[in-house]
Amino acid sequence: MNMELIDTPNPNAKKLLANHSYKIGEYLDSENLDKNSFEFQILKLTSIKAIFVGPDFLTLTKEESFDWDLIIKDIKSVFDKL
């Protein structure tokens, strides 16, 4: 699976381009996700506080105290295991 993160006007959020079947406009909840899904694995990262669903993308919102460079390495690690 290819990973592409795109900057947003919010410095604490990035778009992750992804085909998905989630309802647009909702936030993903780790309690309702398949534990093997990449979305669940990303939500488990302590640096990520929310995933919002958009058309053909997911918006990842990070905790303000974390740096995107480190988070991106963690997200790439999740994708490498897929």
Side-chain angles (χ1 to χ4, degrees):
M1 178 177 248
N2 189 18
M3 183 192 83
E4 185 175 354
L5 288 171
I6 299 171
D7 290 338
T8 70
N10 178 349
N12 292 320
K14 290 198 182 281
K15 283 184 181 180
L16 172 63
L17 299 183
N19 292 326
H20 60 77
S21 59
Y22 299 112
K23 185 175 178 184
I24 295 170
E26 291 190 340
Y27 284 91
L28 299 182
D29 183 344
S30 61
E31 294 178 14
N32 298 327
L33 290 171
D34 176 353
K35 299 202 183 332
N36 295 317
S37 69
F38 76 89
E39 296 93 345
F40 179 83
Q41 299 302 318
I42 290 172
L43 274 176
K44 280 182 26 181
L45 300 173
T46 56
S47 53
I48 299 295
K49 70 178 188 178
I51 298 178
F52 179 77
V53 179
D56 298 323
F57 68 87
L58 304 171
T59 298
L60 310 179
T61 304
K62 72 174 184 73
E63 296 289 347
E64 195 167 330
S65 62
F66 286 89
D67 181 67
W68 274 116
D69 290 335
L70 297 174
I71 297 168
I72 290 169
K73 288 179 185 176
D74 291 340
I75 293 171
K76 283 183 180 179
S77 177
V78 167
F79 274 82
D80 288 345
K81 295 176 185 174
L82 295 178

